[in-house]
Amino acid sequence: MSDDTLRIGLVSISDRASTGVYEDKGIPALKEWFSRALVSPWQAEERLIPDERSVIENTLVALADQFACHLIVTTGGTGPAPRDVTPEATLAIGERELPGFGEEMRRISRHFVPTAILSRQVAVIRGCSLIINLPGQPKAICETLEGVRDADGKTLVDGVFAAVPYCLDLIGGPYVRTHEAVVKAFRPKSAQRPA
């Protein structure tokens, strides 16, 4: 693996999927999306775990500190139900919160469902890792990462991933390029590199 390979931790959080009651759809949805969205080389570290706060915290710490993942995305456990503890676990192990990610994900999801206001996603930085809680449903994962488009496919509201490559630049990660038809990464002109 070269130094410019983006290491992504993919964490699906579900009591039932982690025990085999039903098939996990979170990690396959994430892998499919990153395969479409990223031009840059990347590799995934996958974890399917239950809705247990200590397990979530330990998993995130290991992916950040031991596996040196530049980006860690979780799916599941961000609603208001008693077992939904992903945000609490994420905030507990994070060093700095990035509230704009959660705010924007709720704003994007509100275009599709009124229950978006019940979502509690957060994002934090731990060391050189960006950790983002995504929604639990594959459709909502795609919507929040890509944003809102009109009937002709024109972007009306940027998805949250548009800000991820520049955030990774700022915290010491690799330079990430995206397929602009899926999501266009935004960087200030001074931070852009020639293609």
Side-chain angles (χ1 to χ4, degrees):
M1 180 181 66
S2 66
D3 288 339
D4 63 347
T5 298
L6 176 64
R7 291 185 298 279
I8 308 175
L10 306 177
V11 184
S12 187
I13 300 163
S14 167
D15 285 333
R16 289 177 290 174
S18 66
T19 57
V21 172
Y22 63 70
E23 181 183 358
D24 173 57
K25 295 188 176 162
I27 289 174
L30 289 167
K31 287 170 68 174
E32 190 276 332
W33 191 85
F34 282 113
S35 295
R36 286 190 301 111
L38 295 179
V39 173
S40 301
W42 64 284
Q43 71 169 29
E45 283 287 333
E46 301 172 25
R47 303 289 185 274
L48 175 56
I49 60 174
D51 286 285
E52 296 288 348
R53 181 168 166 172
S54 62
V55 175
I56 299 167
E57 289 180 16
N58 291 337
T59 299
L60 297 178
V61 168
L63 288 170
D65 298 359
Q66 296 169 359
F67 291 89
C69 290
H70 306 106
L71 173 64
I72 301 165
V73 291
T74 71
T75 177
T78 59
R83 296 283 297 165
D84 292 334
V85 294
T86 302
E88 287 76 14
T90 303
L91 291 169
I93 61 87
E95 294 162 356
R96 290 181 287 160
E97 185 179 1
L98 296 168
F101 278 95
E103 293 163 6
E104 190 63 8
M105 282 188 275
R106 285 181 284 279
R107 185 169 83 99
I108 291 166
S109 292
R110 185 68 180 84
H111 285 270
F112 303 100
V113 292
T115 53
I117 59 174
L118 302 177
S119 298
R120 301 184 308 112
Q121 293 99 336
V122 299
V124 300
I125 294 169
R126 179 183 174 88
C128 295
S129 299
L130 170 61
I131 304 170
I132 306 172
N133 300 156
L134 295 173
Q137 296 300 316
K139 182 176 180 287
I141 290 169
C142 183
E143 290 165 353
T144 55
L145 291 171
E146 287 184 31
V148 181
R149 300 175 191 266
D150 66 15
D152 297 323
K154 180 179 182 239
T155 299
L156 301 176
V157 178
D158 288 318
V160 297
F161 199 83
V164 168
Y166 185 53
C167 182
L168 295 176
D169 293 348
L170 295 172
I171 64 173
Y175 193 87
V176 175
R177 297 181 192 277
T178 62
H179 287 288
E180 293 190 3
V182 178
V183 62
K184 182 177 181 181
F186 176 82
R187 286 181 172 95
K189 285 190 167 73
S190 61
Q192 295 176 9
R193 293 184 191 170

